[in-house]
């Protein structure tokens, strides 16, 4: 997804330089769509054959790894959600980079992770006792929301010419 975000940033910058503002806007949305679709496909593959991916990190046939394998398998759904959300986030960052709107992205990320995600996650863990599944779900949710905010910013900024 980062590659699609980077490619979109280049296309946006190139089209802006050529004063083809509508083409630049379309290039961004094409990049976002391609990033989201590619990461959705990757998430589905991980969901379909999780042991292949877990096996890249541990020997899944070793009885000594049974507890690690079970814990890893319990997190596959959350990891898959994160893969998709990270794709939305990565392409959202890329399209804003193409506009040179890095400050907005930086502020959103700082506020979301440090101002919202960390305190809420710590409170849920310390006060409610949520475990690792909830941490992954929270991270995936926050990542996806940041991505949607960045894409919404791109849509807003590119509605009027010139961008």
């Amino acid at each position: 997804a980062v590659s699609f975000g980077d490619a979109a940033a280049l296309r946006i910058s190139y089209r802006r330089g050529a004063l083809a503002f509508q083409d630049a806007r379309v290039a961004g949305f094409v990049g976002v769509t391609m990033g989201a679709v590619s990461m959705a496909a990757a998430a589905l593959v991980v969901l379909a054959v999780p042991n292949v991916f877990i096996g890249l990190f541990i020997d899944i046939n070793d009885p000594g790894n049974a507890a690690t394998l079970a814990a890893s398998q319990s997190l596959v759904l959350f990891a898959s959600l994160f893969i998709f959300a990270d794709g939305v986030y990565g392409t959202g960052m890329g399209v804003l980079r193409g506009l040179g709107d890095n400050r907005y992205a930086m502020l959103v990320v700082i506020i979301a992770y440090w101002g919202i995600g960390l305190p809420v996650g710590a409170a849920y863990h310390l006060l409610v006792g949520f475990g690792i599944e909830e941490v992954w779900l929270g991270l995936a949710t926050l990542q996806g929301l940041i991505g949607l905010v960045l894409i919404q910013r791109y849509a807003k900024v590119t509605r009027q010419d010139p961008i």
Side-chain angles (χ1 to χ4, degrees), residues 117-130:
L118 184 64
V120 169
Y124 275 149
H125 177 70
L126 297 172
L127 302 175
V128 182
F130 282 173

Side-chain angles (χ1 to χ4, degrees), residues 43-51 76 80:
L44 289 173
V45 170
V46 170
L47 273 173
V49 287
N51 285 352
V76 167
S80 295

